[in-house]
Amino acid sequence: MSTIRFAALKKALNRNSNEIHETEKRSSLFGRNVFNSITLQQYLTKSAYESVMSAIEKGSKIDRKIADQVAVSMKDWAISRGATHYTHWFQPLTGATAEKHDAFFESINGSVAMERFDGEQLVQQEPDASSFPNGGIRNTFEARGYTAWDPTSPAFVYGTTLCIPTIFVAYTGEALDNKTPLLRALQAVDTHATAVCKYFDKNVSKVNATLGWEQEYFLIDEALANSRPDIILTGRTLLGHTPAKGQQLDDHYFGSIPSRAMNFMKELEIESLKLGIPVKTRHNEVAPNQFELAPIFEEANLAVDHNSLLMDVMGRIAKRHQFKVLFHEKPFYGVNGSGKHNNWSLSTSDGTNLLSPGKTPMKNLQFLTFFVNTIKAVYNYEELLRASIASASNDHRLGANEAPPAIISVFIGSQLSAVLDELENVTKGKLSPEEKTDLKLNIIGKIPEILLDNTDRNRTSPFAFTGNKFEFRAVGSTANCAIPMTVLNTIVAKQLKEFKVEVDTLIEEKNLKKDEAIFNILREYIKDCKSIRFEGDGYGEAWEKEAKKRGLSNNKTTPEALKAKIDKKTIALFEEMQVMNKIEQEARFEIEVEEYTKRLQIESRVIGDIARNHVIPTAINYQNTLLENTKNLKEVFGEEYKTIANEQIALIKTISNHITQINALTLAMIEERKEANKLTGLKSAESYCKKVKPYFEQIRYHSDKLETMVDDNIWPLTKYRELLFIR
Ligand code: ADP
Ligand code: MG
């Protein structure tokens, strides 16, 4: 067996799992390392506390004196939790998180030393921003970037570092991160949802978007993962024959979790809880070695931070258990990939879920208002929503009959479909008293308070209503949720803004009562956006055809999908909602296009290297063994060898054919790559997508064939059956 593969397997088989003993109650661990509102209250004076809380709740400014006080108490608290350093923790456009650690320690006059941290250091920092992607923003403006404290997401101690969540912006004000536009989108949805809420309840003063993500991932033994150059460099396997036993038996899903994985999860949960991430469920997923972790939902900004933090923590804890976490959407060919469902809703500050039907017809009208407006928003901006989840890795999942297709549609279930169908027939204009009673009793009165048992929950829908929230299922497992959440909240904000104007106009100009006006507008919306509603099988070819007829977009690849990010309609939307200006949008588009190109370029290089440096030499080696064997048979048996070595001779020829093909395909791919590299921007990305990428599958086909023929003892790459089953 090849030495690398052999050593990796030996290591993996000799693993002892570090048993994690749970000594403390989970609830007592929760938030231990978080400077949350309770800690704030303990450490701050009353007026400082109130000022911070008002910044969190109302977005008011914190003055410098208060910031100094917060900084000092934050530092004291952090030191008491073992911190020696602090960092502004932010989410640059790489999709990951970034930090630059500074010590609290400072020497004064070169002799006395003390721990220091003041308001200025808390509020603003200037990281060396030149190495973060900016899509040309900084070149255009020659502006430096700075990070600024986001008091709505609490600081936490991670390891020995106090981490302060921040935004990252250019001095000219343009966002250089994922958090800034998200915060602006959340502000927009708050403003317009609150205004609409006032139709139903004058006391509502704030609406929060809520997010509950479900993170899927694969756990692979570290030594085995490290034995594969493709996993190290691209996060997925580019070659490898599917194992004899995969997920066909459905025995992994909700099966018992292997003890090594269980120990990793226990430690991960303990660490997550200490960091205030309210993790709740853990279970096996469909594929072997695939798992899912989901928290209790939270306010969207906090939930996004927690997902980013969790992904980071997972990698570190996996290392302690000699695992590698694969977040890639499709690490293994022929095996289900990973997603990150984004469960989303809107909630008032008193905790009323606006997407939950209520006890009274009025409450149900409020529910219907937000429900229908969300569907309308998705209808208006389906292509932008698709673009918000576009990435090279997610392209493998969407439409591959394991995740929703690239067509965005909304599933609402039969009960609510029936309600909307009836509402569509309500009379236009003023309603007679009989009609009003009928509406109240027979239509909206019919919506049951609990819709949770949506028995016909449709797993093939990208955007499904699941009883009291929408579940955006097309999000990929590597995604930063901030990106889809920014789009979703912005389009809903815009929709609610329009709705309010239209309702008010009817009330003022047509002299309609408030609920009559609301009914009238909702009825029009229901009619307008029917084509986005789809209750059938999203996987089938029939839906592709039907969707096309309905005029829905079906952007299967990232370069196609991303275009929606810079079309006129999108630019106008984000500018109107003050979420991103044109420059910020174009910069993001540029960065994402470039990222796509780079990823494909790397994959193409890696595939070429492995095929030519590992696979072909091994195949030639084995072929030589067969040739040697045939020669020997001829020596012993004379002409009779032809019948005796029949199989060997056939195999020698087949192997030759695969070697020739791999060589030719790799050379052709390299030529295409050269051409693609001459282009720039979207043109280059398109060329990689259409001209370079198709070679991946073809090279893989021949390599995987060779894998089934060549002596297992000399095959250089750790095989799927070895990677995929944790013992
Ligand atoms: P699955 O899709 O695996 O069947 P569920 O439907 O049980 O899972 O999903 C529950 C998820 O929805 C959890 O992560 C939970 O936090 C989230 N969730 C529940 N209510 C809300 C809400 N109002 N807003 C946002 N997320 C929510
Ligand atoms: Mg789900």
Side-chain angles (χ1 to χ4, degrees), residues 142-206:
E142 293 182 35
R144 289 165 302 156
Y146 67 93
T147 53
W149 179 33
D150 166 20
T152 62
S153 181
F156 54 92
V157 169
Y158 183 29
T160 55
T161 306
L162 167 68
C163 300
I164 301 150
T166 57
I167 56 166
F168 180 35
V169 287
Y171 268 98
T172 39
E174 281 83 16
L176 296 171
D177 67 350
N178 287 315
K179 188 191 263 266
T180 309
L182 173 68
L183 288 173
R184 294 179 190 150
L186 294 173
Q187 175 67 54
V189 87
D190 171 15
T191 305
H192 300 291
T194 301
V196 169
C197 272
K198 289 195 192 292
Y199 285 137
F200 308 98
D201 180 354
K202 287 262 178 299
N203 298 318
V204 173
S205 61
K206 184 169 173 66

Side-chain angles (χ1 to χ4, degrees), residues 300-319:
N301 175 39
L302 193 56
V304 167
D305 279 0
H306 280 164
N307 181 247
S308 299
L309 180 58
L310 177 97
M311 289 171 80
D312 188 274
V313 175
M314 272 173 110
R316 299 186 200 215
I317 291 180
K319 244 186 142 31

Side-chain angles (χ1 to χ4, degrees), residues 214 341 459 471:
E214 303 166 56
H341 293 175
R459 295 260 150 207
E471 184 168 2

Side-chain angles (χ1 to χ4, degrees), residues 210 212-214 294-297 343 345 353 457 459 469 471:
T210 53
W213 40 264
E214 303 166 56
I296 298 169
F297 69 92
N343 294 278
S345 188
N353 180 352
R457 284 175 70 165
R459 295 260 150 207
K469 62 192 180 291
E471 184 168 2

Side-chain angles (χ1 to χ4, degrees), residues 361 431-445:
L431 299 171
S432 67
E434 294 78 34
E435 280 171 324
K436 274 193 179 171
T437 317
D438 183 52
L439 250 179
K440 278 188 186 157
L441 290 182
N442 295 328
I443 303 182
I444 59 171

Side-chain angles (χ1 to χ4, degrees), residues 21-60:
H21 296 287
E22 291 156 283
T23 44
E24 278 180 272
K25 262 207 220 142
R26 295 299 169 95
S27 56
S28 68
L29 296 172
F30 187 69
R32 183 181 286 181
N33 291 345
V34 181
F35 196 64
N36 55 23
S37 60
I38 298 163
T39 349
L40 269 170
Q41 206 164 10
Q42 283 165 357
Y43 277 81
L44 296 184
T45 59
K46 191 160 178 278
S47 71
Y49 173 76
E50 278 164 4
S51 155
V52 174
M53 290 319 280
S54 136
I56 296 172
E57 279 154 18
K58 302 191 191 97
S60 59

